[in-house]
């Protein structure tokens, strides 16, 4: 059986992608496969001005609904946020045997934090930027988000997710040392209570979706998992990237933007660590099964930061 990241309604090729974009009237060429994840294939192309574009193709019908939310939401978020987000210049329609809508946008500058995982950076500066970014994002009106089709992540779903992650970690003895694994399992088995009222989440705010260039943060990509939920889910990305130092720096900026007291910040930090374990367990499974060493390395680093 295919793993979730391999499943799709068909397989794309550069030749098919070129026919699809040309059918939309887009003057793009030099099509090249870039990457793929759980939900989408990603290709690059160039326009007549030699600008590079990102093309995202959903693998399954349910992913199109996520894409529709991105298309509706990001134009409203872009002017508010202190980092760049995709601005869709191509809204593609099904054709050439490919059954789903797809999107394209001029590529944002930088490489992902996952690609630059080992790079040194100024933790206080990155933390301030990321914390301020999340404070603005999480202040977006919930009623407006609901109107645009954003749904809530239910707390009950975390129980099943934690159980799946526990099973995955129990099988990871060849990768994780016993102390790291037990610390992670302890968090999964005894999760901290929800931190605050639900907010609008990026919901996959981890290094693979944060762009950096020249020692500074430049953008945030891949908004397909956007939802209403616990803010700790987004703050987990800071812990996943550089452990307690980046989380603390981010929370210092976040609390200013959200006017939080010490108790609220402590609850957020606890939830961020919890969500970072959930994400790391998924990354570990994905990295091992799909042969993506960068994800395995990132997951191991996150879990080791638990102390």
């Amino acid at each position: 059986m295919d793993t979730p990241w391999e499943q799709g309604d068909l397989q794309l090729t550069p030749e098919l992608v070129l026919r699809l974009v040309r059918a939309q009237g887009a003057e793009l060429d030099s099509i090249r496969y870039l990457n793929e994840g759980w939900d989408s294939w990603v290709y690059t192309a160039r326009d007549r001005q030699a600008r590079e574009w990102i093309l995202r193709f959903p693998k399954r019908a349910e992913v199109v609904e996520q894409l529709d939310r991105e298309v509706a939401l990001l134009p409203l978020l872009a002017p508010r946020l202190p980092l760049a987000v995709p601005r869709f210049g191509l809204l593609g329609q099904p054709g050439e045997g490919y059954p789903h809508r797809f999107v394209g946008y001029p590529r944002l500058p930088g490489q992902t934090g996952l690609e630059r995982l080992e790079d040194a950076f100024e933790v206080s500066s990155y933390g301030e930027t990321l914390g301020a970014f999340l404070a603005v994002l999480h202040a977006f009106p919930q009623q407006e988000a609901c109107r645009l089709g954003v749904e809530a992540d239910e707390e009950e779903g975390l129980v099943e997710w934690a159980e799946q992650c526990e099973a995955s970690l129990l099988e990871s003895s060849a990768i994780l040392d016993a102390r790291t694994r037990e610390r992670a399992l302890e968090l999964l088995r005894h999760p901290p209570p929800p931190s605050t009222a639900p907010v609008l989440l990026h919901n996959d705010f981890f290094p693979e979706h944060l762009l950096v260039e020249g020692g500074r943060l430049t953008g945030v990509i891949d908004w397909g998992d956007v939802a209403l939920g616990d803010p700790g889910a987004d703050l987990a990305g800071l812990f996943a990237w550089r452990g307690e130092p980046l989380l603390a720096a981010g929370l210092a900026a976040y609390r200013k933007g959200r006017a939080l007291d010490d108790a609220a910040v402590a609850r957020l930090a606890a939830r961020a660590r919890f969500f970072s374990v959930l994400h790391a367990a998924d990354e570990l499974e994905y990295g091992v099964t799909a042969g993506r060493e960068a994800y395995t390395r990132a997951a191991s680093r996150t879990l080791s930061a638990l102390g």
Side-chain angles (χ1 to χ4, degrees):
M1 179 182 293
D2 288 344
T3 52
W5 47 87
E6 295 172 325
Q7 294 170 358
D9 293 336
L10 82 168
Q11 290 296 316
L12 288 180
T13 64
E15 294 75 20
L16 175 56
V17 170
L18 180 60
R19 294 199 303 271
L20 278 166
V21 298
R22 291 285 174 83
Q24 316 301 316
E27 296 182 338
L28 298 173
D29 55 25
S30 301
I31 305 296
R32 182 174 64 87
Y33 171 83
L34 179 64
N35 206 343
E36 66 185 273
W38 293 81
D39 295 327
S40 300
W41 294 286
V42 182
Y43 283 76
T44 63
R46 291 196 179 274
D47 62 19
R48 287 192 169 183
Q49 289 75 46
R51 293 184 305 170
E52 192 170 22
W53 283 60
I54 295 292
L55 304 171
R56 281 177 49 204
F57 295 88
K59 290 185 173 181
R60 300 173 301 279
E62 64 266 24
V63 182
V64 180
E65 297 179 8
Q66 300 174 4
L67 199 61
D68 289 343
R69 287 194 288 270
E70 286 187 73
V71 170
L73 183 63
L74 287 186
L76 299 180
L77 288 176
R80 304 169 184 239
L81 296 171
L83 294 172
V85 298
R87 294 178 181 264
F88 300 120
L90 172 62
L91 302 177
Q93 298 300 314
E96 301 291 330
Y98 178 73
H100 308 310
R101 294 187 294 279
F102 61 96
V103 296
Y105 62 91
R107 187 170 189 168
L108 300 178
Q111 293 179 289
T112 68
L114 183 65
E115 294 172 287
R116 314 298 303 181
L117 193 64
E118 304 300 330
D119 287 8
F121 59 77
E122 189 177 344
V123 169
S124 60
S125 175
Y126 272 43
E128 182 176 359
T129 300
L130 294 171
F133 180 96
L134 290 177
V136 174
L137 173 63
H138 293 175
F140 188 83
Q142 288 192 38
Q143 186 174 2
E144 180 70 0
C146 291
R147 184 185 69 80
L148 296 171
V150 178
E151 300 177 349
D153 264 357
E154 299 297 336
E155 185 72 18
E156 291 77 9
L158 290 178
V159 176
E160 181 179 356
W161 187 13
E163 290 174 350
Q164 293 170 349
C165 289
E166 181 177 344
S168 177
L169 289 176
L170 287 170
E171 297 175 357
S172 64
S173 58
I175 300 171
L176 300 175
D177 63 79
R179 184 174 183 274
T180 296
R181 187 172 62 253
E182 287 306 313
R183 176 67 178 124
L185 289 171
E186 180 183 351
L187 272 176
L188 292 178
R189 292 164 179 166
H190 306 286
S195 46
T196 67
V199 298
L200 179 66
L201 301 173
H202 177 280
N203 214 24
D204 205 358
F205 197 72
F206 290 90
E208 57 265 36
H209 300 140
L210 306 176
L211 300 178
V212 297
E213 184 177 62
R216 64 183 183 88
L217 292 152
T218 58
V220 181
I221 59 173
D222 288 8
W223 291 73
D225 291 321
V226 64
L228 296 172
D230 191 309
D234 277 349
L235 288 159
L238 281 65
F239 184 88
W241 200 353
R242 279 295 191 274
E244 293 293 347
L246 186 59
L247 177 60
L251 280 170
Y254 186 84
R255 76 179 297 169
K256 292 178 183 177
R258 301 286 286 163
L260 300 176
D261 59 22
D262 290 346
V265 170
R267 289 194 298 271
L268 280 170
R271 287 292 275 189
R273 296 182 198 103
F274 169 65
F275 277 105
S276 74
V277 173
L278 293 173
H279 181 263
D282 278 351
E283 274 199 323
L284 199 62
E285 180 186 9
Y286 175 52
V288 170
T289 309
R292 304 290 294 273
E293 184 181 349
Y295 287 86
T296 306
R297 187 168 62 251
S300 299
R301 181 175 182 150
T302 297
L303 296 173
S304 296
L306 293 170

